Amino acid sequence: MPQPDVRKGMPSVELSREEFERRFRRHFEDPAFAAVAREIAAVAEVAWDGYIKYRKSPRTRKAGPGFADPDYDLSLDWIEAHEAIAAAQTRYQDRNAKRRILLVNGSARSDQTCPGEISKSWRLVKIAETVLRDAGCEVELLDLSLLASEAGRVIYPCKACVSTAMPLCHWPCSCYPNHALGQTGDWMNEIYPKWIAAHGVMIVTPVNWYQVPGGLKAMIDRLVCADGGNPDPTSTHGKHPDEAKALELKGWNYPRHLAGRLFAVIVHGDVIGAETLRRSLSDWLTDIKMISAGALAECDGYVGYNEPYATSHQALDEDEAFQSDVRNAALTLARAVKLQAAGQFPHADAGLKEAVEK
């Protein structure tokens, strides 16, 4: 095997002071901000200083015992997310607690902003929620439409650290927040514990041009660290690609942080792509070692096929069969998590290991 090296060569992305401030001031174009122009100028000065000195993680503390390098300065943002995940794992392992389902609305549509009408996914989510609660499950609803309708909600893109070396992808993700670049408020630090605490995950989503909506795709990409991600950023001293490559080549164990959790998937469309997307989501969830709750837990279909968009909600009103499919998927998942808790959900591949993990 050739010795790894770190490849460089992309152009500089450093902004001039003028361009940085121009972009910074985009947040304050409302004329009402003119009354605080001096204050904005002072804040811009501090932001520029953080940018040019690259204070990505301005609040840190020593990692302490339990880490490869106890003396490494760990981001307090990362530590907080790490501790939230640990608490969620404790809840997940509590056999006396109710079975917990994470119910994900994948649609970006909302009646709280344009287009001014709820999504069919939201309606289907509420149907599933009722079934899951009636079946005795605890339900946590993750509504990804908030990315488009609620102030301050954002999921930043994955930087594909995995493609350099798996240990460079930290669990939870340490790429964000990046205070130097103003990339703050990343929702994923709240989302990771929701997945970890769940015994089952049910995704309800529309298909957008054969693909998932952008918000759902952003979450999926950022969940890459849940499958093989490095739980100790001090082992690579932050984002040092050379250290990560060396660590991977020593033999990486690819910890599967979501393995064994059950899933259900509902995909709906109007003309194209529902089956393709349902298969893609199921393949992804299986690939990260989650387990299908059963055949009825995976469903795709069309609502108002080739009919006007304007009457699509009426079409859903009349499509009792698809509504029934959603209820069956939710009930299948509810039954499966209870059987799993009782040790009665079979795992024929338990204890087996892939010949090559990647």
Side-chain angles (χ1 to χ4, degrees), residues 254-329:
Y254 288 85
R256 309 285 190 173
H257 301 290
L258 292 173
R261 289 159 178 80
L262 300 169
F263 72 82
V265 173
I266 299 290
V267 177
H268 65 93
D270 51 22
V271 178
I272 55 173
E275 181 181 2
T276 301
L277 178 54
R278 190 262 304 165
R279 290 179 182 275
S280 178
L281 287 172
S282 296
D283 285 350
W284 163 60
L285 292 162
T286 302
D287 194 56
I288 63 175
K289 306 309 176 191
M290 293 180 65
I291 302 166
S292 175
L296 292 183
E298 301 180 43
C299 175
D300 60 79
Y302 295 97
V303 176
Y305 185 78
N306 266 341
E307 295 177 6
Y309 296 113
T311 57
S312 62
H313 275 286
Q314 289 90 333
L316 179 56
D317 291 341
E318 298 168 3
D319 197 338
E320 295 182 3
F322 194 70
Q323 293 181 46
S324 180
D325 284 341
V326 173
R327 293 188 182 94
N328 284 339

